[in-house]
Amino acid sequence: MTKASEVENAYKVAQARYAEIGVDTEAMLTKLAKIKLSVHCWQGDDIHGFVNPEQELTGGIGVSGDYPGMARTPDQLTGDLSEALSLIPGNHKVALHTLYAVTNQKKDFDEIGPEDFKYWVDWAKEAGVGLDMNPTFFSHPMVKHNFTLASPEKDVRDFWIKVGQQSRAIANYFGEELGQQSVNNFWIPDGFKDNPIDKLNPRLRLVESLDKIFAKPYDEKNTIEAVEGKLFGTGIESYTVGSHLFYNNYAISRGKLWTIDAGHWHPTEDVSDKFSAFLPFGKGLMLHVSRPVRWDSDHVVIFDDALIRIMRSLVRDQELDRTNIGLDFFDATINRVAAWVIGARATQKALLQALLTPIDDLKQAELNYDFTKRLAVTEELKSYPFGAVWDEFCLRNDVPVGTDWLANIRNYEQKVQFPRDQK
């Protein structure tokens, strides 16, 4: 177990090193503590949910692995989330989907409303977290030929429009009850496997469907909508109705947030470059931080170059106030609670490293065409002792330092998770 005195001594040395270049580590720790991550509930149960848990996953979504201890009930899932949150420094939010409703009645997706998420609100109040929302447009028989809101069949569109409308009511309920704005993220799997003849009308139908969903006004103090695009998906390789450009334009024209999922772009694209191109025109961003390996594979987020670039862009361009940061991955080859902890802590580390930068000084050097200083300082910063500052952040937030948290996971899986498979 890491000794607190060793952490504190290392922090004092790091604090002095950063002070030499004009970085106040105390101020940056305060900033980091205010940044809430939206932790996705679906990592805990492989996206089964509680409404139709036996339904096969559709929409190009798939989960690999069969690590023991998967959550199967609401209490198991919230228990796992509570364990994960106890190992992640700071106060955060949890993102839900329609299929995570908890009800003793047989309800279809379009019938699920705020009353079916009272369980989650009660838990969130006790846990001290906020809740975000996602309407579920997959894993349902009404996904016909890979189409939902853009379907040529009116009854299909009407069903999914109601799902979207109900989701907004649920998100508003979250905001009212918890006193935190609930981001409601819309993603649909619509598209064609092979080359379509008509590319325009599916998008016109999607515009019409979305406009109907968003027609009722809600107080943005309680909830705000985000729209999420995708390059392509399994089964829709040739044409995606909700493309990135489509939702970029829809978000700007309708005053919605634009969701950028790190795994939904071409592998060679740098998603961090999109932020500053959109925000001069758009309302704000919702991020789904993921780790694509061979594209949209939703691996557990790690402290890699892509994540570092994402957080650098948000910090250096002062975009944090207009950006909601959520996690989105699912890996069943490792302990599912550990996956949350690894991904969230990696995201916070990248944020902290970005914050521990003499940004104003470097921007002034850039304005003065002093590119020598810009390169020299940014290179030296890569080996600055930000890890000691991170350890101090963990210590102050009463979470394990370094790999100490892994012992908590091993104890939890032996006592709580593994016995689930023996019943």
Side-chain angles (χ1 to χ4, degrees), residues 120-311:
W120 283 101
V121 167
D122 290 344
W123 172 77
K125 288 178 179 178
E126 184 177 348
V129 300
L131 294 175
D132 287 331
M133 186 60 189
N134 299 260
T136 303
F137 292 102
F138 54 85
S139 298
H140 192 281
M142 284 296 277
V143 180
K144 293 191 176 181
H145 304 286
N146 290 326
F147 274 84
T148 61
L149 293 177
S151 172
E153 301 179 45
K154 186 177 183 300
D155 64 323
V156 173
R157 295 197 306 277
D158 288 346
F159 175 86
W160 292 111
I161 288 169
K162 185 65 182 299
V163 172
Q165 291 170 336
Q166 291 288 87
S167 177
R168 294 187 69 217
I170 294 165
N172 185 67
Y173 166 63
F174 291 164
E176 288 179 334
E177 289 291 319
L178 301 174
Q180 297 184 47
Q181 186 186 63
S182 177
V183 180
N184 196 6
N185 184 65
F186 284 72
W187 170 80
I188 64 170
D190 298 34
F192 287 112
K193 183 174 182 63
D194 217 334
N195 297 322
I197 301 301
D198 185 354
K199 291 186 176 182
L200 176 60
N201 279 295
R203 286 176 173 147
L204 292 176
R205 291 194 294 267
L206 179 53
V207 170
E208 181 181 26
S209 295
L210 290 172
D211 284 350
K212 288 181 179 179
I213 289 172
F214 300 141
K216 181 177 178 178
Y218 285 101
D219 190 338
E220 286 192 359
K221 179 181 67 175
N222 296 327
T223 184
I224 190 170
E225 293 81 31
V227 287
E228 177 181 0
K230 200 168 187 176
L231 181 64
F232 71 94
T234 304
I236 57 165
E237 292 85 355
S238 297
Y239 171 77
T240 300
V241 181
S243 65
H244 295 308
L245 185 57
F246 174 91
Y247 281 126
N248 179 304
N249 290 331
Y250 190 89
I252 291 173
S253 63
R254 301 304 195 270
K256 304 301 180 184
L257 304 182
W258 185 33
T259 300
I260 293 180
D261 185 306
H264 286 187
W265 298 76
H266 192 280
T268 61
E269 285 192 89
D270 182 355
V271 298
S272 68
D273 192 45
K274 316 296 176 186
F275 311 157
S276 60
F278 173 77
L279 285 173
F281 311 98
K283 190 180 191 73
L285 290 170
M286 175 72 208
L287 294 189
H288 276 185
V289 182
S290 183
R291 177 166 56 108
V293 176
R294 302 293 187 268
W295 191 63
D296 186 30
S297 52
D298 286 302
H299 285 58
V300 177
V301 169
I302 60 173
F303 187 58
D304 61 4
D305 288 345
L307 183 64
I308 290 170
R309 288 195 299 269
I310 286 172
M311 298 310 161

Side-chain angles (χ1 to χ4, degrees), residues 9-31:
N9 289 336
Y11 172 68
K12 289 176 182 177
V13 173
Q15 185 180 30
R17 288 288 312 280
Y18 279 107
E20 291 171 0
I21 57 172
V23 175
D24 182 348
T25 58
E26 288 295 311
M28 296 308 108
L29 288 176
T30 299
K31 280 190 176 183

Side-chain angles (χ1 to χ4, degrees), residues 3 36 39 72 109 180 204 212 239 253 297 301 305 313 335-336 343 362-363 393 404 409 423:
K3 294 181 179 179
K36 292 178 181 287
V39 180
R72 295 174 176 84
F109 281 5
Q180 297 184 47
L204 292 176
K212 288 181 179 179
Y239 171 77
S253 63
S297 52
V301 169
D305 288 345
S313 290
N335 183 289
R336 294 169 180 81
L362 288 172
K363 286 185 176 181
F393 184 66
D404 288 352
I409 294 294
K423 296 178 180 179

